[in-house]
Amino acid sequence: MSDRTLLLRRGEVHSPADPFATAMVVEAGHVAWVGSEGAADAFADGVDEVIDLDGALVTPAFTDAHVHTTATGLALTGLDLSGAPSLDAALALVRAFAAARPADRVLLGHGWDAARWPGGRPPTRAELDEATGGRPLYLSRIDAHSAVVTTALLDLVGGELPRADAPLTRDAHHAVRKAAFAAITPAQRAEAQRTALAHAASLGIGSVHECGGPQISSEDDFTGLLEVARELPGPRVIGYWAEQDVDKARELGAIGAAGDLFADGALGSHTACLHEPYADAGHSGTAYLDADAVAAHVIACTEAGLQAGFHAIGDAAVAAVVEGVRAAAEKVGLARVRAARHRVEHAEMLTPETVAGFAELGLIASVQPAFDALWGGEDGMYARRLGAERARTLNPYAALLRSGVPLAFGSDSPVTPLDPWGTVRAAAFHHTPEHRVSVRAAFTAHTRGGWRAIGRDDAGTLVPGAPADFAVWRTGELVVQAPDDRVARWSTDPRSGTPGLPDLTPGGELPRCLRTVVGGRTVFVRPGE
């Protein structure tokens, strides 16, 4: 928190306290005042710094409610195959990357998606061995639930791991990922963490919810990240530890034994747990936790005063979580369970019954609209895995909001990139029209929603007394944008009292971050501003 006082003026301040505010005062790390340009003169002489906004927009900083920070940093410094148009192109990129990083103990990459390549097959181990010159390589699929590796990495793991060419999933995947990340030096890891947090700050992100866990990273990685965040000016890091050990989560500094505590896997890897079999596979995925295990964990967390939470994607997994949380509420009391704000991450395949269950039990839906942008639509991965009819039911944000379920938006970076305005756009222009929400509702889910998901109702909005976490944006005309095409655009009517937001119609340019401030301290300024 900064002790410096700031006056921002001559802009547009997005505040429910004053929908026409053009100025804001920050004092002791909190918003002290918002109001009009005329009144700002009275503050000008008593502050440490005056920032002339020159017409820029000021909004609350974004919260990304689901991030894997080290993996994000390693993706930024490592090999990104998400743009590779073919297998041959991917192998060429691996070859160039290996040549460019001769000192790395292990080569790391992510983002490949064979379903988007001609022929639809991932690289073989022999092809990767040749491309790397026999060095250890870990390449995770775009959904991060399976990976292809080299022989040298399998040798590092030892034991009886499969030596076939198929991508490794489940326990075998966890083993190679653990070996790959164990080979990273502490210096490499800290560099990746700093890189990820600096990148987040440059996008107007003021907080990230780190979803760590023993199957995802390591205890050292988690505590190291929290230490880096304490020492460096940058986004706040709120840690979740995905283990059914409440004492361990608390010991590591997590605010919840939650995040990616896997109830199932992912749709892309055919490991999300479904009620009915996949359209393109003869099975219905994998359940990692049943309702009894969910109930036991929720009871333990509720009694310890910690959040519980689960990764649940398939409809059967989501139903098991709801059933388990309901059983926990019968044991410890519905009011206590609701007050704890337990979380469900991803929650992609919902039914009217599970939506109602979320509302009844006070569950937070921590969701990623970019998943629909990437995998939705008639020809997307969802439709291939599930068939078009089931695919159209996925990510029903409007139904969740109508039922009173709190939404917190995130990216699951590096599964999809940190991209807050793109995330808001993805929710407002969902592939399935009935699931769309207004830009205002989506923006709220990506700002205030992330704070509410950690139990804070006093933040994520620019009103006096709130933490001074905000971002300054260069953008075009502000509009009020609703999901219905008939009322999709209109300029803000002064009588409505509704502050405008950038026009996010697909194809248009997204706002550009000029400055990010966390707790009154500037953590990013765009060069030249």
Side-chain angles (χ1 to χ4, degrees), residues 106-108 125 136-140 145-158 161-163 166-184 215-216:
V106 60
L107 298 166
L108 298 171
R125 191 153 46 85
L137 167 75
Y138 168 83
L139 281 182
S140 61
H145 283 261
S146 57
V148 289
V149 302
T150 54
T151 303
L153 183 59
L154 290 177
D155 291 343
L156 274 184
V157 178
L161 281 184
R163 297 263 164 168
L168 300 173
T169 62
R170 301 186 62 185
D171 292 346
H173 175 227
H174 295 154
V176 293
R177 178 167 57 190
K178 187 174 181 181
F181 281 80
I184 297 164
Q215 293 183 317
I216 297 154

Side-chain angles (χ1 to χ4, degrees), residues 92 254 288 309 361-362 369 380 448 451 455 463 481 514:
Y288 300 147
L361 300 163
R448 196 169 190 180
W451 285 95
V463 297
Q481 204 159 16
L514 307 181

Side-chain angles (χ1 to χ4, degrees), residues 156-490:
L156 274 184
V157 178
E160 295 300 314
L161 281 184
R163 297 263 164 168
D165 277 331
L168 300 173
T169 62
R170 301 186 62 185
D171 292 346
H173 175 227
H174 295 154
V176 293
R177 178 167 57 190
K178 187 174 181 181
F181 281 80
I184 297 164
T185 64
Q188 273 180 295
R189 187 174 66 212
E191 178 206 10
Q193 292 168 344
R194 289 193 297 269
T195 299
L197 293 175
H199 182 57
S202 76
L203 297 169
I205 295 169
S207 298
V208 298
H209 296 183
E210 164 66 15
C211 291
Q215 293 183 317
I216 297 154
S217 50
S218 68
E219 293 179 18
D220 287 346
D221 181 274
F222 188 77
T223 55
L225 171 64
L226 296 181
E227 187 62 32
V228 164
R230 276 192 294 270
E231 291 174 355
L232 287 178
R236 303 172 194 264
V237 176
I238 292 95
Y240 287 94
W241 184 252
E243 191 170 3
Q244 290 169 279
D245 182 339
V246 171
D247 293 334
K248 174 63 71 178
R250 179 166 274 149
E251 175 193 319
L252 294 176
I255 72 161
D260 275 331
L261 182 52
F262 296 116
D264 68 344
L267 290 164
S269 296
H270 293 100
T271 50
C273 189
L274 313 181
H275 284 308
E276 301 294 332
Y278 284 88
D280 60 350
H283 63 86
S284 43
T286 309
Y288 300 147
L289 295 174
D290 62 15
D292 289 344
V294 169
H297 186 60
V298 171
I299 290 167
C301 287
T302 304
E303 292 183 335
L306 282 180
Q307 277 180 296
F310 305 90
H311 159 121
I313 287 177
D315 51 1
V318 174
V321 168
V322 169
E323 184 186 339
V325 178
R326 188 175 282 128
E330 287 168 5
K331 285 274 178 58
V332 300
L334 178 60
R336 288 180 70 194
V337 164
R338 286 180 61 86
R341 301 190 191 188
H342 301 307
R343 296 172 54 143
V344 183
E345 308 298 318
H346 315 310
E348 288 165 68
M349 285 188 79
L350 293 154
T351 63
E353 292 74 24
T354 48
V355 170
F358 274 46
E360 169 202 349
L361 300 163
L363 295 173
I364 304 282
S366 170
V367 295
Q368 295 76 40
F371 288 1
D372 174 72
L374 188 61
W375 299 321
E378 297 295 312
D379 301 318
M381 183 270 285
Y382 286 156
R384 288 196 296 277
R385 293 289 181 270
L386 303 171
E389 190 177 339
R390 270 192 298 178
R392 277 193 291 273
T393 69
L394 266 59
N395 303 302
Y397 304 136
L400 285 162
L401 283 182
R402 275 197 307 273
S403 298
V405 177
L407 299 183
F409 280 178
S411 61
D412 199 7
S413 178
V415 175
T416 69
L418 299 172
D419 179 17
W421 286 113
T423 296
V424 174
R425 172 188 276 172
F429 295 92
H430 196 295
H431 275 101
T432 307
E434 59 262 37
H435 299 331
R436 294 175 182 172
V437 297
S438 69
V439 165
R440 185 182 181 198
F443 176 78
T444 299
H446 215 352
T447 50
R448 196 169 190 180
W451 285 95
R452 286 174 165 165
I454 61 167
R456 291 277 302 268
D457 293 331
D458 60 339
T461 182
L462 300 180
V463 297
D469 289 25
F470 62 88
V472 180
W473 308 92
R474 180 68 61 211
T475 188
E477 181 193 7
L478 303 183
V479 299
V480 176
Q481 204 159 16
D484 188 322
D485 287 341
R486 290 167 299 173
V487 288
R489 302 166 54 116
W490 66 90

